[in-house]
Amino acid sequence: MEEAFSSTFLGDGVMDKLKQLHIGLSLSATWLKGDGWRDKDSRVEELFMGDFYVDLAKKAEKAKLDFVFKPDALFLDTKVLDSSPGWSSLDPTVLLTSIARETERIGLITTISSTFYPPYIVARQLQSLNWISNGRAGWNIVTSLGGVENFMAGEMPSSQERYAQAEEFHKVVNSLWDSFPGLSLLTNRKTGHYADHQKISTIDHVGEFFHVEGPLNIPSYQSHPLPLLQAGASPSGRAFASAIADAVFAAAPDITAAKELRNDLRAKAQQEGRSEDAIRILPGLYFFLADTREEAFKLHARAHANLSKEKRYETVQTILGLNLRDMPLDHKITADLLPNDDVSVRSQTHTNLLKNLITEKQPTIEELLSRPEVVGSGHWVIVGTVEDALVSIEEWVEADAMDGFIALPGGSLHSLELFCDKLVPMLVDKGLFRKDYSGNTLREHLLIDNQ
Ligand SMILES: Cc1cc2nc3c(=O)[nH]c(=O)nc-3n(C[C@H](O)[C@H](O)[C@H](O)COP(=O)(O)O)c2cc1C
């Protein structure tokens, strides 16, 4: 079994025991953002080709990362396509199935919406990916940021309604996995018994959102549920995550936000009767790495080149319901300016992050317009050399702000290469990351059965 802790000293010996990080790589082409795709070696023409992602997954596997992970959206903003690929992408589960055939150890986490898919199909697809990858599949269970127009008439359900449905969805999928346990397979050639049908049963689920009889028509790989990743940190999102998630993909722009989320989710997991270590907090780490700081800052600026001031004002208005266009840029935003009602249907996570910042720090409008929650997705951002990145990661480790992170490469493919080829080996040298895999499944990489 993998060592959960190493006794390597960090820097000046501030800590005597270090937790080994869990690291995943996002396969969403974040390095193409802004003008990044216009680089001659960006490989943007391969955006919808399997081999490109297989190359990336092999690189991540060589670095012994826990998993590759594919975020997803079920809608298309056509306006952005004039100047960038936006969110157009391959179906994540189909893509990861092809990667499964070309890799051996790395975990494969797909994104599937509990708001728009039928649970029977999802239970079956996930177990299929799990069998095809020999137990390496994981599920990022999302309630979706949008896309209602592609599935039904009417408005997007509120974040709370989506989580209520997600709870039932998750229960149905788990019951379907239990309905045909892998252990029911006997494959006894001598006696002619293929399976013990008494261990296979219907689920007869009749709920508010779903009617499903079952059983599922594929057995569960090793009779285990798949590891679950969750994102979304509103009160309903946190309640859902603390009850079911093995890991949380967190939008946490700074150590304070990450610690608040981590402490809260660990406490809530305990209230659910789980170990506090059963829920791993993995902030997104959006990095712009280059051989020099100057180059890294150029990459960062280029990634946001197309983000006009008007677009930033629009984002603030969507997230907070505040129109700041007519105020001077050095005007401080204070909590009393915030509307009382929640305006965001998409995600309360970003609304709450900005509300907390405004309450605690009263940023100027100029500062607000350059925040990660406004220019990006609210993730921790590192711009610099691999040495700079190491210092920042060590700070987060020392602060106990995370259990690992999900790498979101920014700026260029070279930035991703520096991450896998240089930064990860530095983390290994510091005792913060594994030298080699000791298990074969995603459950083993995430140490799920150690809790
Ligand atoms: C960091 C983060 C990543 C997310 N990734 C996805 C995604 O890949 N696909 C998707 O449909 N929704 C995604 N979501 C949306 C959530 O599943 C959820 O629907 C939304 O955040 C509303 O929940 P909240 O109010 O708790 O934020 C993401 C949300 C966050 C905060």
Side-chain angles (χ1 to χ4, degrees), residues 398-409:
E398 276 187 65
D400 234 358
M402 61 169 175
D403 299 287
F405 55 85
I406 296 188
L408 308 167

Side-chain angles (χ1 to χ4, degrees), residues 331-352:
H331 188 87
K332 278 188 183 291
I333 307 296
T334 46
D336 55 298
L337 287 174
L338 294 169
N340 288 329
D341 297 336
D342 274 329
V343 286
S344 175
V345 176
R346 283 163 64 88
S347 162
Q348 279 177 30
T349 306
H350 295 85
T351 308
N352 294 342

